[in-house]
Amino acid sequence: MDILTLIKSQNLSQGALVAGSIRNTVWQKLHHQEFKLESDIDVAFFDKKASQKANMVIQTNLKKIAPQYTWQVKNQVYLHNYDFKNQLPFTSVVDAIAHFVETPTCIGAFLDNKNELQLIAPYGTADLAKLTVRPIPFFKTDEAHLNIYKERIKSKHWQKKWPKLKIKFS
């Protein structure tokens, strides 16, 4: 909740805690492991008016406020061509999250105007809760897309950290 409050304090357009920050925490809990932030704090926002340099400004500001965390801030407006060129631009943070490579990573959370927790889960939370990793439909469209998923699985070594994970390729 402290991290969500810090993100909200930045007044980001559609700002949310996303991806591994949430996924890894859930997987630690489901493996009865001690809670430990193993990677950076992933912050996504969507602001067509903000330059790409805004990421660093926000990241630097969060680091000043909470230096105990490694922040990674990304305006999703600029990330639609991250894996492939000529992709359609994202329309929102929700759309961007829906394009993260695997279903349990397609997760986000933010505090709304009433400071109530809101969840973004375009593919639901079942895979995350059932420790199932599978590519999103977009990454099953052809071999080039599926290879990105396979390389991520290979490079992350998730099953060494979380042995109960079930890795699916379809």
Side-chain angles (χ1 to χ4, degrees):
M1 290 303 288
D2 292 338
I3 290 170
L4 292 171
T5 301
L6 288 168
I7 293 169
K8 184 178 180 186
S9 76
Q10 300 304 295
N11 297 311
L12 302 173
S13 175
Q14 301 179 39
L17 175 67
V18 298
S21 302
I22 298 172
R23 180 200 62 224
N24 295 355
T25 300
V26 171
W27 287 350
Q28 286 173 356
K29 179 74 172 164
L30 293 173
H31 279 83
H32 308 287
Q33 296 171 346
E34 179 184 346
F35 170 72
K36 183 173 81 173
L37 288 171
E38 295 183 336
S39 61
D40 47 25
I41 305 296
D42 299 306
V43 179
F45 70 105
F46 191 87
D47 188 344
K48 290 182 180 181
K49 296 176 186 171
S51 71
Q52 286 183 308
K53 293 179 182 176
N55 294 343
M56 287 307 294
V57 172
I58 297 161
Q59 199 166 288
T60 300
N61 191 44
L62 285 167
K63 187 162 182 68
K64 286 180 188 172
I65 297 167
Q68 69 272 31
Y69 302 123
T70 302
W71 298 94
Q72 185 176 56
V73 178
K74 304 257 181 170
N75 187 350
Q76 301 300 303
V77 167
Y78 302 105
L79 293 178
H80 59 283
N81 288 324
Y82 183 79
D83 288 312
F84 294 97
K85 301 295 178 215
N86 303 318
Q87 296 298 309
L88 292 175
F90 297 138
T91 58
S92 66
V93 160
V94 174
D95 186 30
I97 291 170
H99 284 85
F100 292 173
V101 178
E102 56 283 327
T103 55
T105 304
C106 296
I107 191 85
F110 65 96
L111 296 176
D112 67 14
N113 292 335
K114 295 178 183 177
N115 283 326
E116 293 180 1
L117 180 65
Q118 299 296 322
L119 195 62
I120 301 167
Y123 299 101
T125 58
D127 281 353
L128 178 65
K130 292 180 180 179
L131 299 164
T132 301
V133 181
R134 73 180 84 236
I136 65 164
F138 181 74
F139 280 90
K140 293 192 272 187
T141 57
D142 58 40
E143 200 60 34
H145 285 78
L146 193 56
N147 282 338
I148 288 174
Y149 169 76
K150 290 176 181 178
E151 284 301 313
R152 269 184 62 84
I153 297 302
K154 185 178 174 183
S155 69
K156 293 289 186 178
H157 307 287
W158 285 333
Q159 285 184 306
K160 288 181 183 175
K161 293 179 197 173
W162 301 293
K164 295 178 189 176
L165 288 181
K166 297 171 282 298
I167 308 293
K168 310 274 184 169
F169 291 95
S170 59

